[in-house]
Amino acid sequence: MRTCLMAFALSVALSSVAAPAWSAQHAEHTPRHPASATSHAPARGWATDAPLRKGMRDIATEVDALRRHKQGQMTPAQAAEVAGQIQAHVRQIIVSCRLPADADAALHEIIAPLMDNAASLQADPGKRELVAAMRRALAEYAQQFDDPGFSLPSEAPGKPVLR
């Protein structure tokens, strides 16, 4: 419990330093009971709307591009630019997406790590391990949300993995 609180505090601190606009926008969408959000997910996954599907697909494309960064084939400036695009897509989801409260709470458990890891990568492009953390968040989205056309970024060279 103490470790979770410390991790949460660190996440909040990073969000407020690296992405103040995210913190302000996210505050109004923060779920009151996030633990209940994923425990009652529908069998087929939470419903999605067009802005969410577009935003998550755009994020997956950017995370897939970061595969080149993990392989040392992208400059730090390019990686920082891609990380900034991921943050912009998350902000667009927050502004445009309209989901029921439970689905919104589940979504915020996914997009908060995407935003935090993208902000950290933008601040320090040398932290290539953050790309794997973003992939894990996208995998959570694929498991929890009903988005049949969504593709997970591939670890290997080539095309994204269709689910």
Side-chain angles (χ1 to χ4, degrees), residues 125-137:
K127 294 183 176 180
R128 293 181 179 158
E129 69 278 5
L130 297 171
V131 177
M134 287 186 267
R135 275 196 179 83
R136 285 191 298 275

Side-chain angles (χ1 to χ4, degrees), residues 30-48:
T30 301
R32 290 192 176 118
H33 303 289
S36 66
T38 56
S39 61
H40 301 303
R44 291 180 15 175
W46 297 109
T48 58

Side-chain angles (χ1 to χ4, degrees), residues 65-79:
L66 287 172
R67 179 174 24 100
R68 291 182 31 239
H69 180 53
K70 278 187 71 174
Q71 297 167 345
Q73 300 171 348
M74 184 180 276
T75 67
Q78 290 170 323

Side-chain angles (χ1 to χ4, degrees), residues 50-67:
L52 174 58
R53 289 188 298 273
K54 180 185 182 330
M56 293 305 287
R57 291 170 189 180
D58 290 344
I59 291 168
T61 299
E62 301 294 353
V63 171
D64 190 52
L66 287 172
R67 179 174 24 100

Side-chain angles (χ1 to χ4, degrees), residues 78-155:
Q78 290 170 323
E81 182 178 332
V82 172
Q85 289 299 316
I86 292 169
Q87 292 174 74
H89 293 308
V90 172
R91 285 194 283 288
Q92 188 60 42
I93 288 171
I94 292 169
V95 169
S96 304
C97 179
R98 299 292 177 251
L99 299 177
D102 286 349
D104 188 64
L107 177 63
H108 279 276
E109 291 184 23
I110 293 166
I111 62 174
L114 283 170
M115 180 60 93
D116 291 343
N117 286 306
S120 294
L121 183 63
Q122 188 176 35
D124 183 357
K127 294 183 176 180
R128 293 181 179 158
E129 69 278 5
L130 297 171
V131 177
M134 287 186 267
R135 275 196 179 83
R136 285 191 298 275
L138 290 171
E140 284 296 316
Y141 172 77
Q143 289 177 350
Q144 293 184 35
F145 285 82
D146 184 16
D147 185 348
F150 181 75
S151 299
L152 288 171
S154 173
E155 290 269 355

